Amino acid sequence: MRRPPAQPNQPNHPNRSTRRTPPTPPFNAPAARRLRAALSMGPEHVAYGMRASYGLPYVTPDLIIAWEREQASPTSNELTALAGVLWCSPAELLGKPRTLREHRLARGLAPEDVARAVGHEVVAYLHMEENDDWHGTDRQSAALADVLGLSLPDFITVTGRDTRLADLLRSAVTTRWQAYVRPVGKMVPLDRRVLEHTLQDLHQNYQGQMTATLSWGGDNSDSSAAGREFLDRIVEHFWATVQGVGS
């Protein structure tokens, strides 16, 4: 069955719609170049394959080169076609997935597959995917994590909980961390002892940085800058600390 043509991802393409275009998936340009070279294909061969086999008449060697140089990014349909021409899975051409939609694409799943697995209507699931706003019961959330192979950090991100988690963690490291074991634990299902050690380590790390900055002769502005940098990356520090404590 012939796949429907993808919409072009070129700013000056004559058929480009004035409507808002959907976000492009994270594209791994080095992987695309490497896979093409391994097949001894030139950009013109890839472009021809996408035109002939996938019904994308606008794809040119220049567009392939632009993708590989990270001057543009393929749409979801274009990435699927490119993977077909390069004899690889779409996941091999993706960068690190960031959203629910990107994780689905990385798994090579259709929206219907995920909707069926989690027990949602397709239209409802697509609405959540397009708006990065997951709504589901605990059972549906567990099914989502299973079908997309989500790690716990990925699950927190795609279900839109990163901002709330960051707020809790910032409060924990700047005040009494003990008061935030339960609120963080309700959001992140970790062993309580791991969570306690993690919050304590983060608190000590933050307070230690603030104290060290001042004791090294820095002024309040230096201390504030160091503190802000730590707090800006608090979720990243949290997961790194969880991994260290749990190992």
Side-chain angles (χ1 to χ4, degrees), residues 6-11 16 21-30 32 50 58-59 62-80 82 93-95 98 101-102:
Q7 293 299 313
N9 189 30
Q10 292 176 290
R16 183 174 182 265
T21 57
T24 57
F27 183 58
N28 190 335
M50 294 181 68
Y58 57 86
V59 176
D62 286 342
L63 181 56
I64 301 300
I65 292 171
W67 290 342
E68 293 185 356
R69 291 178 178 174
E70 301 182 66
Q71 296 168 343
S73 296
T75 65
S76 299
N77 285 347
E78 290 165 348
L79 187 139
T80 299
L82 179 62
L93 297 176
L94 284 173
R98 302 179 301 266
R101 175 173 169 273
E102 291 169 1

Side-chain angles (χ1 to χ4, degrees), residues 71-217:
Q71 296 168 343
S73 296
T75 65
S76 299
N77 285 347
E78 290 165 348
L79 187 139
T80 299
L82 179 62
V85 173
L86 295 178
W87 291 85
C88 67
S89 70
E92 293 178 77
L93 297 176
L94 284 173
K96 180 176 174 54
R98 302 179 301 266
T99 65
L100 185 57
R101 175 173 169 273
E102 291 169 1
H103 278 282
R104 175 177 62 76
L105 290 173
R107 288 274 167 172
L109 297 171
E112 294 80 4
D113 298 327
V114 180
R116 183 170 55 252
V118 303
H120 268 308
E121 294 292 331
V122 176
V123 173
Y125 169 76
L126 281 173
H127 180 78
M128 290 184 280
E129 186 176 281
E130 290 166 2
N131 291 279
D132 290 326
D133 187 21
W134 166 255
H135 294 288
T137 64
D138 289 343
R139 183 193 64 77
Q140 288 173 322
S141 295
L144 179 74
D146 182 61
V147 71
L148 296 181
L150 299 175
S151 65
L152 183 54
D154 288 337
F155 176 76
I156 295 298
T157 298
V158 303
T159 54
R161 304 180 189 184
D162 264 353
T163 300
R164 174 60 178 156
L165 177 60
D167 289 341
L168 290 173
L169 294 175
R170 291 188 186 105
S171 297
V173 302
T174 55
T175 58
R176 292 182 65 255
W177 64 266
Q178 296 91 337
Y180 291 89
V181 174
R182 181 185 291 273
V184 174
K186 290 178 67 175
M187 181 175 297
V188 183
L190 292 170
D191 179 82
R192 183 180 177 89
R193 187 166 59 177
V194 170
L195 187 55
E196 288 175 344
H197 282 306
T198 298
L199 293 181
Q200 184 177 21
D201 285 355
L202 288 174
H203 183 273
Q204 292 175 346
N205 194 347
Y206 173 76
Q207 299 295 334
Q209 284 194 28
M210 298 291 285
T211 302
T213 303
L214 292 173
S215 65
W216 292 338

